[in-house]
Amino acid sequence: MNFPVPHCARPGLALSLVLGLSLLSPALKAEPPPLSLFDAVQLAERQAPQIRARDAAIAAAEAAIGPAGELPDPELILGIENLPIDGDERLSLTDDFMTMRKLGFMQSFPRREKRLLRAERATSEAARERSLLISERLGVHEAVARAWIAVAIAEQRARLLQELAATADAQLAAATAALTAGRGSAADGINARSAVVALRDRILAAQAQVDTARSDLKRWLPGFADAKLAPAPDWFDLGVEADALAGKIAHHRELLAFAAAEHAAATEVALARAEKRPDWSLEMAYAQRGPQYSNMLSVQVRVGLPIFAGSRQEPTIAAKQALLTGIEAEREAALRMHGAELERTVTVWRSSAERLRRYQRDLLPLAEERTAVALAAYRGGSGDLQAVLVTLEAAIEQRLAYVDLTDTLAQAWATLHFAFPQEGAR
């Protein structure tokens, strides 16, 4: 018996059908098209609140870019100067020649270099948020793929065990026939019934695993958790040479945000250094005095004096530089960690693929053949029931091991397939 691995088309028409039929009448909703892994991924992405949160963060960061490089708002000046508080002219706004009602404005002018650096910092933050969106999206893709795989594997396990139920029933029938013909023993009948009951129990446990996996899938696809699954992708095909993945490690989804974070931190260092160079502001005011006196116009220029750089600007520069160094070290640590994880996953995928081919080519057909031969011998009177039961148990264990190995291969495939952004990803 061969156990070919089915293929699945990339998302396209199937996804359109899923979305279209989901909007039609309840009668059509009862029979949606099979849900492929890639369609599940796309559907979940559209519904995931994590993705909406990242989109909102990007909108906020991009909206902050323009204001970051602008001049600060001007300040309105309203006041009264030199108001008498005693004597005959107490609290009069017009009797004393020094009393003035003042109206003016003040505008600060940060250095152009600082304004450009602030805009650059805001741009880096927006780039970081975009990178985090790609990383979040790939994380959701992998999580949904794993949930879909868990359902597919659980259903495959239940299906393979169910296929052996017919063999177990045949063994029980053969034992009953032998007992009726007087060549079997009561113990044979009991053993055969025990084997059937044990297999049925395993089938029930496998079905419970299906229900549990469906519950996990419901987290991502509330409206499609009970949908029939389409054939699985080809777990043997990564879509790229496995050896080429190591060379792409710098583009791993967990490392995407580091470049923008480093740039933002470097901009913070440059901004801290720019604080050692003073800004200036301009103040203009019109002062109105009593009708018998002349009105006044005043102009003032203010310049900051960063003369205590050793105790103010320099420590800030050192702090920002330390943050940059920390981000660089974190990136190096993440690069090493995810590089090692990638190599381990590639090794698991390769080993599982080779072993699974051996199961499909040799082990499973041999187990089926041994069971059939033992049952035929027992029916013909040349074998004993115990040998039949042993071969049945071996066939069950082989199938379960095959399914577990398929699960290992599929999970490794999901990790590798969604580790890097696709070409043209936002």
Side-chain angles (χ1 to χ4, degrees):
M1 178 181 297
N2 293 324
F3 294 84
V5 177
H7 294 258
C8 173
R10 291 283 174 166
L13 179 60
L15 177 60
S16 300
L17 290 173
V18 169
L19 292 173
L21 291 179
S22 66
L23 302 175
L24 297 179
S25 66
L28 287 177
K29 286 185 180 180
E31 291 295 335
L35 181 66
S36 74
L37 182 146
F38 292 108
D39 287 344
V41 163
Q42 287 200 352
L43 287 168
E45 179 184 325
R46 298 183 183 189
Q47 302 176 27
Q50 301 96 316
I51 303 300
R52 294 200 302 273
R54 285 298 174 195
D55 281 330
I58 289 175
E62 290 179 343
I65 294 175
E70 296 295 323
L71 291 174
D73 291 332
E75 298 179 22
L76 177 66
I77 301 172
L78 294 172
I80 299 175
E81 291 187 357
N82 304 320
L83 179 69
I85 60 173
D86 57 18
D88 294 339
E89 299 173 350
R90 181 171 59 91
L91 302 181
S92 173
L93 297 176
T94 59
D95 292 342
D96 191 286
F97 76 97
M98 293 184 65
T99 301
M100 295 179 288
R101 288 159 288 181
K102 189 174 183 180
L103 172 65
F105 78 94
M106 191 274 288
Q107 175 68 62
S108 295
F109 294 93
R111 293 171 61 88
R112 183 172 182 273
E113 173 193 11
K114 293 180 182 179
R115 301 200 305 271
L116 292 176
L117 286 172
R118 288 167 185 164
E120 186 176 348
R121 177 179 58 188
T123 302
S124 297
E125 289 296 334
R128 178 176 176 273
E129 290 297 338
R130 286 190 288 270
S131 297
L132 289 174
L133 172 63
I134 296 174
S135 178
E136 189 74 57
R137 182 184 291 129
L138 289 171
V140 169
H141 290 181
E142 181 180 347
V144 176
R146 287 181 177 275
W148 189 97
I149 289 168
V151 174
I153 293 298
E155 290 182 344
Q156 184 182 19
R157 182 181 290 108
R159 184 170 58 253
L160 291 179
L161 290 175
Q162 188 65 48
E163 290 174 359
L164 285 175
T167 302
D169 290 339
Q171 291 175 349
L172 178 59
T176 302
L179 184 61
T180 302
R183 54 182 188 81
S185 65
D188 286 347
I190 294 173
N191 290 337
R193 285 194 299 274
S194 297
V196 171
V197 171
L199 180 56
R200 297 293 180 189
D201 182 70
R202 287 190 172 188
I203 292 173
L204 289 175
Q207 188 56 52
Q209 291 178 337
V210 173
D211 296 339
T212 300
R214 287 279 181 182
S215 297
D216 293 338
L217 184 61
K218 186 177 181 180
R219 171 195 170 189
W220 300 103
L221 297 169
F224 296 88
D226 297 325
K228 179 181 178 182
L229 299 189
D234 184 359
W235 308 129
F236 296 97
D237 182 14
L238 290 175
V240 64
E241 288 296 328
D243 292 335
L245 293 177
K248 299 172 58 178
I249 188 59
H251 302 288
H252 192 281
R253 72 167 193 252
E254 298 295 342
L255 300 172
L256 294 178
F258 275 103
E262 286 182 14
H263 191 269
T267 305
E268 291 281 4
V269 175
L271 265 172
R273 288 179 176 148
E275 291 298 331
K276 296 175 70 174
R277 293 180 287 277
D279 298 326
W280 65 284
S281 62
L282 174 67
E283 179 180 320
M284 299 183 67
Y286 173 78
Q288 184 182 48
R289 299 196 294 175
Q292 67 273 34
Y293 307 114
S294 299
N295 295 330
M296 301 289 184
L297 178 67
S298 61
V299 177
Q300 297 184 49
V301 176
R302 299 181 183 180
V303 180
L305 297 176
I307 58 178
F308 301 103
S311 60
R312 296 177 182 175
Q313 284 79 24
E314 291 294 347
T316 302
I317 293 172
K320 299 298 184 182
Q321 184 63 55
L323 290 176
L324 174 59
T325 302
I327 292 175
E328 291 171 346
E330 289 176 1
R331 182 182 185 278
E332 178 64 25
L335 184 66
R336 295 183 185 184
M337 180 182 71
H338 291 293
E341 289 179 352
L342 183 69
E343 290 182 4
R344 286 196 298 269
T345 305
V346 169
T347 299
V348 170
W349 175 80
R350 278 178 168 159
S351 173
S352 300
E354 182 59 32
R355 292 180 60 198
L356 203 62
R357 290 189 181 96
R358 187 176 297 111
Y359 266 85
Q360 295 172 351
R361 184 179 62 248
D362 301 322
L363 296 179
L364 289 178
L366 287 174
E368 295 294 326
E369 187 177 347
R370 282 195 300 269
T371 302
V373 169
L375 182 59
Y378 180 72
R379 284 172 171 170
S382 59
D384 62 88
L385 183 62
Q386 186 60 33
V388 177
L389 296 178
V390 168
T391 58
L392 175 62
E393 182 65 24
I396 293 174
E397 294 301 327
Q398 287 277 25
R399 290 196 174 205
L400 293 178
Y402 170 77
V403 174
D404 290 342
L405 191 57
T406 303
D407 185 32
T408 300
L409 177 66
Q411 297 293 348
W413 178 92
T415 298
L416 297 174
H417 189 83
F418 297 110
F420 303 94
Q422 303 296 320
E423 293 296 329
R426 175 184 169 187

